[in-house]
Amino acid sequence: MATLGIPQNTIAVLQKYKFNFQKKYGQNFLIDTGVIDRIIEASGITKEDFVLEIGPGIGTMTQYLCERAGEVVAVEIDRNLIPILSETLAEYDNVTVLNEDILKVDINALAWEHTKGKPIKVVANLPYYITTPIIMGLFENRVPIDSITVMVQKEVADRMQVGPGTKDYGALSLAVQYYAKPEIITRVPPNCFIPRPSVGSAVIRLTGHSEAPVHVEDESLMFRVIRASFNQRRKTLVNALNNAPGISLEKEQLQKSLEELGVPATIRGEALSLEQFAELSNIIGKKIGKQRANMEDENGQ
Ligand code: SAM
């Protein structure tokens, strides 16, 4: 294996193909073999695994993945990288490169085609401009996930991992923690990339839950409640939920809901745990159901 993670080798490939970095694609290529080793080790890949890599770049980490995994599919949007990948991955017969936008790929269908339902591992040095849609897309579309081990912006890794009562806590923390267990593996400084990003980075591993960590009657309602709470995070929870889209309860009913949850009426959303959001959405859901039944009675339906 030609080790692309060594800066001189990466530069030689880039020069050979006269490659121009495209800022719009978040292209910051890894040039630190120590960091790549940490990512590979944290992902715990074996020959039994199917791995999806998002944004292989010139194939630096892809080479390591091909050595360790049973099969690798790498999805790269930039067509100028495709001829480079053909050369850098030429010696591997367990990799497929797709020249696609990952946000437009039906990952469920792709995974099913290769694993017939066995959970997959996702490994990537992500393009930071689409970190949240990529991660949430994997979870919300119910792609069978074993783990996601990815490089992200440092602040985003922090947001995924924190709990209530901290400034970084928000809708992303709750969504990620509902689907997976997040663990920050290591911080990565800008000098591990070419070109250097203007922000710090971190590798985070999200291990999919085998069972949902909380009981939720209506997932989409819970996420509406969460989004409404953090859209106006300076307001009290009651005021943030009042008039929020898809939560059709009067203020008084919302106050009663918080009473039932056993928290003060003046509480803010950022103080609630995932368990409390789940319980609150179950309480709100029941009240909305009752309200609807009453209205139907009144209308003689
Ligand atoms: N994995 C390489 C590495 O570590 O050196 C490159 C990582 S670079 C941060 C992100 C990569 O994702 C780039 O190769 C970029 O072209 C690709 N990319 C950006 N947007 C994408 C998209 N929507 N779908 C697929 N790949 C994308």
Side-chain angles (χ1 to χ4, degrees), residues 233-270:
R233 61 188 297 155
R234 304 193 71 83
K235 288 193 173 179
T236 62
L237 186 54
V238 168
N239 285 337
L241 295 179
N242 196 19
N243 298 325
I247 307 170
S248 50
L249 281 188
E250 295 296 324
K251 196 166 175 179
E252 194 197 334
Q253 290 292 311
L254 290 167
Q255 278 162 339
K256 278 198 179 141
S257 303
L258 290 188
E259 233 169 75
E260 278 179 47
L261 184 65
V263 298
T266 52
I267 200 162
R268 293 204 176 136
E270 64 201 20

PDB file of all heavy atoms in Angstrom, residues 233-270:
ATOM      1  N   ARG A 233     -34.456  29.396  22.378  1.00  0.00           N
ATOM      2  CA  ARG A 233     -33.923  28.845  23.618  1.00  0.00           C
ATOM      3  C   ARG A 233     -33.890  29.841  24.770  1.00  0.00           C
ATOM      4  O   ARG A 233     -33.749  29.450  25.924  1.00  0.00           O
ATOM      5  CB  ARG A 233     -32.581  28.140  23.408  1.00  0.00           C
ATOM      6  CG  ARG A 233     -31.461  28.981  22.884  1.00  0.00           C
ATOM      7  CD  ARG A 233     -30.257  28.111  22.528  1.00  0.00           C
ATOM      8  NE  ARG A 233     -29.696  27.408  23.676  1.00  0.00           N
ATOM      9  CZ  ARG A 233     -29.007  26.268  23.591  1.00  0.00           C
ATOM     10  NH1 ARG A 233     -28.808  25.687  22.438  1.00  0.00           N
ATOM     11  NH2 ARG A 233     -28.507  25.718  24.667  1.00  0.00           N
ATOM     12  N   ARG A 234     -34.038  31.132  24.493  1.00  0.00           N
ATOM     13  CA  ARG A 234     -34.038  32.105  25.594  1.00  0.00           C
ATOM     14  C   ARG A 234     -35.414  32.205  26.248  1.00  0.00           C
ATOM     15  O   ARG A 234     -35.552  32.747  27.327  1.00  0.00           O
ATOM     16  CB  ARG A 234     -33.580  33.483  25.093  1.00  0.00           C
ATOM     17  CG  ARG A 234     -32.212  33.447  24.414  1.00  0.00           C
ATOM     18  CD  ARG A 234     -31.657  34.830  24.228  1.00  0.00           C
ATOM     19  NE  ARG A 234     -31.245  35.420  25.506  1.00  0.00           N
ATOM     20  CZ  ARG A 234     -30.072  35.166  26.074  1.00  0.00           C
ATOM     21  NH1 ARG A 234     -29.198  34.399  25.485  1.00  0.00           N
ATOM     22  NH2 ARG A 234     -29.747  35.730  27.222  1.00  0.00           N
ATOM     23  N   LYS A 235     -36.434  31.705  25.559  1.00  0.00           N
ATOM     24  CA  LYS A 235     -37.790  31.742  26.135  1.00  0.00           C
ATOM     25  C   LYS A 235     -37.974  30.594  27.105  1.00  0.00           C
ATOM     26  O   LYS A 235     -37.267  29.589  27.028  1.00  0.00           O
ATOM     27  CB  LYS A 235     -38.833  31.604  25.023  1.00  0.00           C
ATOM     28  CG  LYS A 235     -38.961  32.822  24.151  1.00  0.00           C
ATOM     29  CD  LYS A 235     -40.215  32.711  23.319  1.00  0.00           C
ATOM     30  CE  LYS A 235     -40.459  33.997  22.555  1.00  0.00           C
ATOM     31  NZ  LYS A 235     -41.640  33.923  21.729  1.00  0.00           N
ATOM     32  N   THR A 236     -38.981  30.724  27.975  1.00  0.00           N
ATOM     33  CA  THR A 236     -39.323  29.566  28.815  1.00  0.00           C
ATOM     34  C   THR A 236     -39.896  28.497  27.879  1.00  0.00           C
ATOM     35  O   THR A 236     -40.357  28.800  26.770  1.00  0.00           O
ATOM     36  CB  THR A 236     -40.386  29.916  29.870  1.00  0.00           C
ATOM     37  OG1 THR A 236     -41.569  30.303  29.160  1.00  0.00           O
ATOM     38  CG2 THR A 236     -39.916  31.017  30.811  1.00  0.00           C
ATOM     39  N   LEU A 237     -39.881  27.264  28.377  1.00  0.00           N
ATOM     40  CA  LEU A 237     -40.337  26.160  27.537  1.00  0.00           C
ATOM     41  C   LEU A 237     -41.799  26.353  27.110  1.00  0.00           C
ATOM     42  O   LEU A 237     -42.148  26.137  25.943  1.00  0.00           O
ATOM     43  CB  LEU A 237     -40.149  24.840  28.314  1.00  0.00           C
ATOM     44  CG  LEU A 237     -40.415  23.555  27.594  1.00  0.00           C
ATOM     45  CD1 LEU A 237     -39.630  23.455  26.301  1.00  0.00           C
ATOM     46  CD2 LEU A 237     -40.059  22.370  28.490  1.00  0.00           C
ATOM     47  N   VAL A 238     -42.638  26.809  28.063  1.00  0.00           N
ATOM     48  CA  VAL A 238     -44.054  27.011  27.741  1.00  0.00           C
ATOM     49  C   VAL A 238     -44.209  28.012  26.607  1.00  0.00           C
ATOM     50  O   VAL A 238     -44.931  27.769  25.630  1.00  0.00           O
ATOM     51  CB  VAL A 238     -44.839  27.504  28.990  1.00  0.00           C
ATOM     52  CG1 VAL A 238     -46.223  27.980  28.600  1.00  0.00           C
ATOM     53  CG2 VAL A 238     -44.921  26.421  30.029  1.00  0.00           C
ATOM     54  N   ASN A 239     -43.480  29.137  26.686  1.00  0.00           N
ATOM     55  CA  ASN A 239     -43.608  30.153  25.639  1.00  0.00           C
ATOM     56  C   ASN A 239     -43.033  29.669  24.312  1.00  0.00           C
ATOM     57  O   ASN A 239     -43.545  30.011  23.246  1.00  0.00           O
ATOM     58  CB  ASN A 239     -42.934  31.457  26.073  1.00  0.00           C
ATOM     59  CG  ASN A 239     -43.794  32.189  27.097  1.00  0.00           C
ATOM     60  OD1 ASN A 239     -45.013  31.981  27.167  1.00  0.00           O
ATOM     61  ND2 ASN A 239     -43.170  32.999  27.928  1.00  0.00           N
ATOM     62  N   ALA A 240     -41.960  28.883  24.372  1.00  0.00           N
ATOM     63  CA  ALA A 240     -41.365  28.375  23.124  1.00  0.00           C
ATOM     64  C   ALA A 240     -42.317  27.385  22.446  1.00  0.00           C
ATOM     65  O   ALA A 240     -42.395  27.330  21.221  1.00  0.00           O
ATOM     66  CB  ALA A 240     -40.020  27.720  23.419  1.00  0.00           C
ATOM     67  N   LEU A 241     -43.036  26.608  23.272  1.00  0.00           N
ATOM     68  CA  LEU A 241     -43.926  25.593  22.685  1.00  0.00           C
ATOM     69  C   LEU A 241     -45.260  26.189  22.240  1.00  0.00           C
ATOM     70  O   LEU A 241     -45.934  25.660  21.350  1.00  0.00           O
ATOM     71  CB  LEU A 241     -44.199  24.466  23.685  1.00  0.00           C
ATOM     72  CG  LEU A 241     -42.986  23.613  24.087  1.00  0.00           C
ATOM     73  CD1 LEU A 241     -43.400  22.551  25.104  1.00  0.00           C
ATOM     74  CD2 LEU A 241     -42.348  22.957  22.874  1.00  0.00           C
ATOM     75  N   ASN A 242     -45.620  27.330  22.882  1.00  0.00           N
ATOM     76  CA  ASN A 242     -46.892  27.959  22.563  1.00  0.00           C
ATOM     77  C   ASN A 242     -46.841  28.465  21.123  1.00  0.00           C
ATOM     78  O   ASN A 242     -45.911  29.163  20.750  1.00  0.00           O
ATOM     79  CB  ASN A 242     -47.114  29.137  23.540  1.00  0.00           C
ATOM     80  CG  ASN A 242     -48.554  29.580  23.541  1.00  0.00           C
ATOM     81  OD1 ASN A 242     -49.443  28.836  23.124  1.00  0.00           O
ATOM     82  ND2 ASN A 242     -48.786  30.792  24.012  1.00  0.00           N
ATOM     83  N   ASN A 243     -47.808  28.071  20.330  1.00  0.00           N
ATOM     84  CA  ASN A 243     -47.857  28.464  18.904  1.00  0.00           C
ATOM     85  C   ASN A 243     -46.781  27.819  18.035  1.00  0.00           C
ATOM     86  O   ASN A 243     -46.565  28.237  16.908  1.00  0.00           O
ATOM     87  CB  ASN A 243     -47.755  29.986  18.713  1.00  0.00           C
ATOM     88  CG  ASN A 243     -48.912  30.696  19.354  1.00  0.00           C
ATOM     89  OD1 ASN A 243     -50.028  30.179  19.360  1.00  0.00           O
ATOM     90  ND2 ASN A 243     -48.642  31.853  19.929  1.00  0.00           N
ATOM     91  N   ALA A 244     -46.040  26.840  18.585  1.00  0.00           N
ATOM     92  CA  ALA A 244     -45.030  26.180  17.736  1.00  0.00           C
ATOM     93  C   ALA A 244     -45.746  25.308  16.706  1.00  0.00           C
ATOM     94  O   ALA A 244     -46.808  24.745  17.005  1.00  0.00           O
ATOM     95  CB  ALA A 244     -44.113  25.327  18.595  1.00  0.00           C
ATOM     96  N   PRO A 245     -45.188  25.196  15.495  1.00  0.00           N
ATOM     97  CA  PRO A 245     -45.857  24.401  14.459  1.00  0.00           C
ATOM     98  C   PRO A 245     -46.020  22.939  14.882  1.00  0.00           C
ATOM     99  O   PRO A 245     -45.090  22.337  15.419  1.00  0.00           O
ATOM    100  CB  PRO A 245     -44.901  24.501  13.259  1.00  0.00           C
ATOM    101  CG  PRO A 245     -43.683  25.220  13.720  1.00  0.00           C
ATOM    102  CD  PRO A 245     -43.933  25.797  15.063  1.00  0.00           C
ATOM    103  N   GLY A 246     -47.233  22.431  14.690  1.00  0.00           N
ATOM    104  CA  GLY A 246     -47.484  21.012  14.967  1.00  0.00           C
ATOM    105  C   GLY A 246     -47.696  20.689  16.438  1.00  0.00           C
ATOM    106  O   GLY A 246     -47.758  19.519  16.819  1.00  0.00           O
ATOM    107  N   ILE A 247     -47.782  21.722  17.304  1.00  0.00           N
ATOM    108  CA  ILE A 247     -48.079  21.461  18.729  1.00  0.00           C
ATOM    109  C   ILE A 247     -49.296  22.309  19.084  1.00  0.00           C
ATOM    110  O   ILE A 247     -49.185  23.425  19.570  1.00  0.00           O
ATOM    111  CB  ILE A 247     -46.881  21.810  19.645  1.00  0.00           C
ATOM    112  CG1 ILE A 247     -45.621  21.099  19.136  1.00  0.00           C
ATOM    113  CG2 ILE A 247     -47.167  21.435  21.104  1.00  0.00           C
ATOM    114  CD1 ILE A 247     -44.349  21.536  19.808  1.00  0.00           C
ATOM    115  N   SER A 248     -50.483  21.740  18.805  1.00  0.00           N
ATOM    116  CA  SER A 248     -51.698  22.545  18.845  1.00  0.00           C
ATOM    117  C   SER A 248     -52.362  22.513  20.230  1.00  0.00           C
ATOM    118  O   SER A 248     -53.468  22.023  20.387  1.00  0.00           O
ATOM    119  CB  SER A 248     -52.674  22.016  17.793  1.00  0.00           C
ATOM    120  OG  SER A 248     -52.797  20.611  17.958  1.00  0.00           O
ATOM    121  N   LEU A 249     -51.626  22.992  21.252  1.00  0.00           N
ATOM    122  CA  LEU A 249     -52.214  23.051  22.598  1.00  0.00           C
ATOM    123  C   LEU A 249     -52.198  24.483  23.103  1.00  0.00           C
ATOM    124  O   LEU A 249     -51.263  25.238  22.824  1.00  0.00           O
ATOM    125  CB  LEU A 249     -51.395  22.199  23.568  1.00  0.00           C
ATOM    126  CG  LEU A 249     -51.574  20.682  23.584  1.00  0.00           C
ATOM    127  CD1 LEU A 249     -50.809  20.097  24.766  1.00  0.00           C
ATOM    128  CD2 LEU A 249     -53.047  20.262  23.661  1.00  0.00           C
ATOM    129  N   GLU A 250     -53.267  24.828  23.889  1.00  0.00           N
ATOM    130  CA  GLU A 250     -53.313  26.157  24.511  1.00  0.00           C
ATOM    131  C   GLU A 250     -52.225  26.239  25.576  1.00  0.00           C
ATOM    132  O   GLU A 250     -51.785  25.204  26.108  1.00  0.00           O
ATOM    133  CB  GLU A 250     -54.676  26.360  25.198  1.00  0.00           C
ATOM    134  CG  GLU A 250     -55.860  26.389  24.257  1.00  0.00           C
ATOM    135  CD  GLU A 250     -55.807  27.579  23.301  1.00  0.00           C
ATOM    136  OE1 GLU A 250     -55.355  28.662  23.728  1.00  0.00           O
ATOM    137  OE2 GLU A 250     -56.195  27.404  22.131  1.00  0.00           O
ATOM    138  N   LYS A 251     -51.861  27.478  25.916  1.00  0.00           N
ATOM    139  CA  LYS A 251     -50.802  27.699  26.909  1.00  0.00           C
ATOM    140  C   LYS A 251     -51.102  26.975  28.237  1.00  0.00           C
ATOM    141  O   LYS A 251     -50.218  26.375  28.844  1.00  0.00           O
ATOM    142  CB  LYS A 251     -50.652  29.202  27.134  1.00  0.00           C
ATOM    143  CG  LYS A 251     -49.386  29.574  27.826  1.00  0.00           C
ATOM    144  CD  LYS A 251     -49.122  31.048  27.721  1.00  0.00           C
ATOM    145  CE  LYS A 251     -47.898  31.389  28.542  1.00  0.00           C
ATOM    146  NZ  LYS A 251     -47.536  32.783  28.486  1.00  0.00           N
ATOM    147  N   GLU A 252     -52.378  27.052  28.624  1.00  0.00           N
ATOM    148  CA  GLU A 252     -52.767  26.439  29.907  1.00  0.00           C
ATOM    149  C   GLU A 252     -52.498  24.923  29.890  1.00  0.00           C
ATOM    150  O   GLU A 252     -52.027  24.347  30.879  1.00  0.00           O
ATOM    151  CB  GLU A 252     -54.258  26.714  30.115  1.00  0.00           C
ATOM    152  CG  GLU A 252     -54.724  26.450  31.521  1.00  0.00           C
ATOM    153  CD  GLU A 252     -56.239  26.324  31.587  1.00  0.00           C
ATOM    154  OE1 GLU A 252     -56.927  26.904  30.728  1.00  0.00           O
ATOM    155  OE2 GLU A 252     -56.707  25.607  32.498  1.00  0.00           O
ATOM    156  N   GLN A 253     -52.803  24.302  28.769  1.00  0.00           N
ATOM    157  CA  GLN A 253     -52.568  22.856  28.624  1.00  0.00           C
ATOM    158  C   GLN A 253     -51.066  22.539  28.639  1.00  0.00           C
ATOM    159  O   GLN A 253     -50.644  21.516  29.173  1.00  0.00           O
ATOM    160  CB  GLN A 253     -53.169  22.354  27.298  1.00  0.00           C
ATOM    161  CG  GLN A 253     -54.675  22.357  27.259  1.00  0.00           C
ATOM    162  CD  GLN A 253     -55.242  21.314  28.231  1.00  0.00           C
ATOM    163  OE1 GLN A 253     -54.831  20.172  28.243  1.00  0.00           O
ATOM    164  NE2 GLN A 253     -56.172  21.746  29.069  1.00  0.00           N
ATOM    165  N   LEU A 254     -50.292  23.457  28.070  1.00  0.00           N
ATOM    166  CA  LEU A 254     -48.837  23.256  28.083  1.00  0.00           C
ATOM    167  C   LEU A 254     -48.311  23.362  29.516  1.00  0.00           C
ATOM    168  O   LEU A 254     -47.454  22.585  29.940  1.00  0.00           O
ATOM    169  CB  LEU A 254     -48.147  24.286  27.182  1.00  0.00           C
ATOM    170  CG  LEU A 254     -48.369  24.090  25.683  1.00  0.00           C
ATOM    171  CD1 LEU A 254     -47.928  25.325  24.892  1.00  0.00           C
ATOM    172  CD2 LEU A 254     -47.608  22.863  25.173  1.00  0.00           C
ATOM    173  N   GLN A 255     -48.870  24.348  30.259  1.00  0.00           N
ATOM    174  CA  GLN A 255     -48.444  24.498  31.654  1.00  0.00           C
ATOM    175  C   GLN A 255     -48.785  23.234  32.442  1.00  0.00           C
ATOM    176  O   GLN A 255     -47.994  22.743  33.248  1.00  0.00           O
ATOM    177  CB  GLN A 255     -49.120  25.724  32.284  1.00  0.00           C
ATOM    178  CG  GLN A 255     -48.388  27.001  31.924  1.00  0.00           C
ATOM    179  CD  GLN A 255     -49.212  28.259  32.125  1.00  0.00           C
ATOM    180  OE1 GLN A 255     -50.455  28.210  32.174  1.00  0.00           O
ATOM    181  NE2 GLN A 255     -48.545  29.391  32.176  1.00  0.00           N
ATOM    182  N   LYS A 256     -49.996  22.693  32.192  1.00  0.00           N
ATOM    183  CA  LYS A 256     -50.402  21.456  32.872  1.00  0.00           C
ATOM    184  C   LYS A 256     -49.461  20.306  32.513  1.00  0.00           C
ATOM    185  O   LYS A 256     -49.139  19.461  33.349  1.00  0.00           O
ATOM    186  CB  LYS A 256     -51.836  21.089  32.475  1.00  0.00           C
ATOM    187  CG  LYS A 256     -52.877  21.850  33.262  1.00  0.00           C
ATOM    188  CD  LYS A 256     -54.211  21.168  33.151  1.00  0.00           C
ATOM    189  CE  LYS A 256     -55.248  21.950  33.968  1.00  0.00           C
ATOM    190  NZ  LYS A 256     -56.535  22.011  33.309  1.00  0.00           N
ATOM    191  N   SER A 257     -49.036  20.281  31.256  1.00  0.00           N
ATOM    192  CA  SER A 257     -48.136  19.212  30.815  1.00  0.00           C
ATOM    193  C   SER A 257     -46.828  19.251  31.609  1.00  0.00           C
ATOM    194  O   SER A 257     -46.312  18.212  32.039  1.00  0.00           O
ATOM    195  CB  SER A 257     -47.813  19.343  29.322  1.00  0.00           C
ATOM    196  OG  SER A 257     -48.989  19.334  28.563  1.00  0.00           O
ATOM    197  N   LEU A 258     -46.309  20.463  31.818  1.00  0.00           N
ATOM    198  CA  LEU A 258     -45.058  20.578  32.583  1.00  0.00           C
ATOM    199  C   LEU A 258     -45.265  20.179  34.032  1.00  0.00           C
ATOM    200  O   LEU A 258     -44.398  19.560  34.655  1.00  0.00           O
ATOM    201  CB  LEU A 258     -44.516  22.010  32.514  1.00  0.00           C
ATOM    202  CG  LEU A 258     -43.976  22.448  31.159  1.00  0.00           C
ATOM    203  CD1 LEU A 258     -43.285  23.803  31.259  1.00  0.00           C
ATOM    204  CD2 LEU A 258     -42.995  21.436  30.585  1.00  0.00           C
ATOM    205  N   GLU A 259     -46.457  20.531  34.559  1.00  0.00           N
ATOM    206  CA  GLU A 259     -46.788  20.127  35.933  1.00  0.00           C
ATOM    207  C   GLU A 259     -46.763  18.601  36.040  1.00  0.00           C
ATOM    208  O   GLU A 259     -46.177  18.036  36.958  1.00  0.00           O
ATOM    209  CB  GLU A 259     -48.201  20.595  36.249  1.00  0.00           C
ATOM    210  CG  GLU A 259     -48.329  21.420  37.504  1.00  0.00           C
ATOM    211  CD  GLU A 259     -49.728  22.029  37.546  1.00  0.00           C
ATOM    212  OE1 GLU A 259     -50.669  21.268  37.832  1.00  0.00           O
ATOM    213  OE2 GLU A 259     -49.853  23.242  37.240  1.00  0.00           O
ATOM    214  N   GLU A 260     -47.397  17.954  35.062  1.00  0.00           N
ATOM    215  CA  GLU A 260     -47.417  16.475  35.062  1.00  0.00           C
ATOM    216  C   GLU A 260     -46.020  15.896  34.962  1.00  0.00           C
ATOM    217  O   GLU A 260     -45.726  14.858  35.535  1.00  0.00           O
ATOM    218  CB  GLU A 260     -48.261  15.945  33.889  1.00  0.00           C
ATOM    219  CG  GLU A 260     -49.735  15.944  34.174  1.00  0.00           C
ATOM    220  CD  GLU A 260     -50.546  15.442  32.981  1.00  0.00           C
ATOM    221  OE1 GLU A 260     -50.171  14.399  32.398  1.00  0.00           O
ATOM    222  OE2 GLU A 260     -51.531  16.104  32.632  1.00  0.00           O
ATOM    223  N   LEU A 261     -45.159  16.598  34.232  1.00  0.00           N
ATOM    224  CA  LEU A 261     -43.782  16.120  34.096  1.00  0.00           C
ATOM    225  C   LEU A 261     -43.017  16.315  35.402  1.00  0.00           C
ATOM    226  O   LEU A 261     -42.003  15.664  35.648  1.00  0.00           O
ATOM    227  CB  LEU A 261     -43.092  16.899  32.947  1.00  0.00           C
ATOM    228  CG  LEU A 261     -41.680  16.498  32.575  1.00  0.00           C
ATOM    229  CD1 LEU A 261     -41.641  15.070  32.014  1.00  0.00           C
ATOM    230  CD2 LEU A 261     -41.086  17.453  31.536  1.00  0.00           C
ATOM    231  N   GLY A 262     -43.539  17.251  36.243  1.00  0.00           N
ATOM    232  CA  GLY A 262     -42.905  17.492  37.551  1.00  0.00           C
ATOM    233  C   GLY A 262     -41.766  18.493  37.476  1.00  0.00           C
ATOM    234  O   GLY A 262     -40.810  18.411  38.240  1.00  0.00           O
ATOM    235  N   VAL A 263     -41.866  19.441  36.526  1.00  0.00           N
ATOM    236  CA  VAL A 263     -40.823  20.480  36.447  1.00  0.00           C
ATOM    237  C   VAL A 263     -41.500  21.853  36.561  1.00  0.00           C
ATOM    238  O   VAL A 263     -42.687  21.994  36.258  1.00  0.00           O
ATOM    239  CB  VAL A 263     -40.019  20.395  35.116  1.00  0.00           C
ATOM    240  CG1 VAL A 263     -39.286  19.078  35.006  1.00  0.00           C
ATOM    241  CG2 VAL A 263     -40.919  20.621  33.906  1.00  0.00           C
ATOM    242  N   PRO A 264     -40.760  22.883  37.020  1.00  0.00           N
ATOM    243  CA  PRO A 264     -41.361  24.211  37.188  1.00  0.00           C
ATOM    244  C   PRO A 264     -41.846  24.800  35.852  1.00  0.00           C
ATOM    245  O   PRO A 264     -41.236  24.526  34.805  1.00  0.00           O
ATOM    246  CB  PRO A 264     -40.223  25.066  37.745  1.00  0.00           C
ATOM    247  CG  PRO A 264     -39.076  24.162  38.003  1.00  0.00           C
ATOM    248  CD  PRO A 264     -39.345  22.838  37.390  1.00  0.00           C
ATOM    249  N   ALA A 265     -42.903  25.613  35.923  1.00  0.00           N
ATOM    250  CA  ALA A 265     -43.487  26.210  34.708  1.00  0.00           C
ATOM    251  C   ALA A 265     -42.515  27.162  34.035  1.00  0.00           C
ATOM    252  O   ALA A 265     -42.645  27.466  32.849  1.00  0.00           O
ATOM    253  CB  ALA A 265     -44.767  26.950  35.068  1.00  0.00           C
ATOM    254  N   THR A 266     -41.510  27.634  34.785  1.00  0.00           N
ATOM    255  CA  THR A 266     -40.565  28.623  34.243  1.00  0.00           C
ATOM    256  C   THR A 266     -39.330  27.964  33.606  1.00  0.00           C
ATOM    257  O   THR A 266     -38.410  28.647  33.170  1.00  0.00           O
ATOM    258  CB  THR A 266     -40.061  29.530  35.381  1.00  0.00           C
ATOM    259  OG1 THR A 266     -39.577  28.667  36.416  1.00  0.00           O
ATOM    260  CG2 THR A 266     -41.143  30.440  35.892  1.00  0.00           C
ATOM    261  N   ILE A 267     -39.332  26.653  33.541  1.00  0.00           N
ATOM    262  CA  ILE A 267     -38.128  25.942  33.060  1.00  0.00           C
ATOM    263  C   ILE A 267     -37.864  26.243  31.582  1.00  0.00           C
ATOM    264  O   ILE A 267     -38.781  26.540  30.817  1.00  0.00           O
ATOM    265  CB  ILE A 267     -38.280  24.415  33.293  1.00  0.00           C
ATOM    266  CG1 ILE A 267     -36.911  23.740  33.283  1.00  0.00           C
ATOM    267  CG2 ILE A 267     -39.212  23.769  32.272  1.00  0.00           C
ATOM    268  CD1 ILE A 267     -36.906  22.370  33.925  1.00  0.00           C
ATOM    269  N   ARG A 268     -36.588  26.174  31.185  1.00  0.00           N
ATOM    270  CA  ARG A 268     -36.226  26.312  29.774  1.00  0.00           C
ATOM    271  C   ARG A 268     -35.896  24.933  29.217  1.00  0.00           C
ATOM    272  O   ARG A 268     -35.452  24.049  29.946  1.00  0.00           O
ATOM    273  CB  ARG A 268     -34.987  27.197  29.622  1.00  0.00           C
ATOM    274  CG  ARG A 268     -35.281  28.608  30.027  1.00  0.00           C
ATOM    275  CD  ARG A 268     -34.309  29.552  29.353  1.00  0.00           C
ATOM    276  NE  ARG A 268     -34.702  30.907  29.709  1.00  0.00           N
ATOM    277  CZ  ARG A 268     -33.861  31.843  30.074  1.00  0.00           C
ATOM    278  NH1 ARG A 268     -32.576  31.601  30.094  1.00  0.00           N
ATOM    279  NH2 ARG A 268     -34.294  33.027  30.385  1.00  0.00           N
ATOM    280  N   GLY A 269     -36.063  24.809  27.900  1.00  0.00           N
ATOM    281  CA  GLY A 269     -35.836  23.526  27.248  1.00  0.00           C
ATOM    282  C   GLY A 269     -34.453  22.955  27.490  1.00  0.00           C
ATOM    283  O   GLY A 269     -34.272  21.746  27.636  1.00  0.00           O
ATOM    284  N   GLU A 270     -33.465  23.864  27.587  1.00  0.00           N
ATOM    285  CA  GLU A 270     -32.074  23.387  27.699  1.00  0.00           C
ATOM    286  C   GLU A 270     -31.804  22.644  29.011  1.00  0.00           C
ATOM    287  O   GLU A 270     -30.745  22.040  29.171  1.00  0.00           O
ATOM    288  CB  GLU A 270     -31.103  24.566  27.536  1.00  0.00           C
ATOM    289  CG  GLU A 270     -31.221  25.593  28.618  1.00  0.00           C
ATOM    290  CD  GLU A 270     -30.670  26.967  28.217  1.00  0.00           C
ATOM    291  OE1 GLU A 270     -30.548  27.232  27.010  1.00  0.00           O
ATOM    292  OE2 GLU A 270     -30.398  27.752  29.129  1.00  0.00           O
TER     293      GLU A 270
END
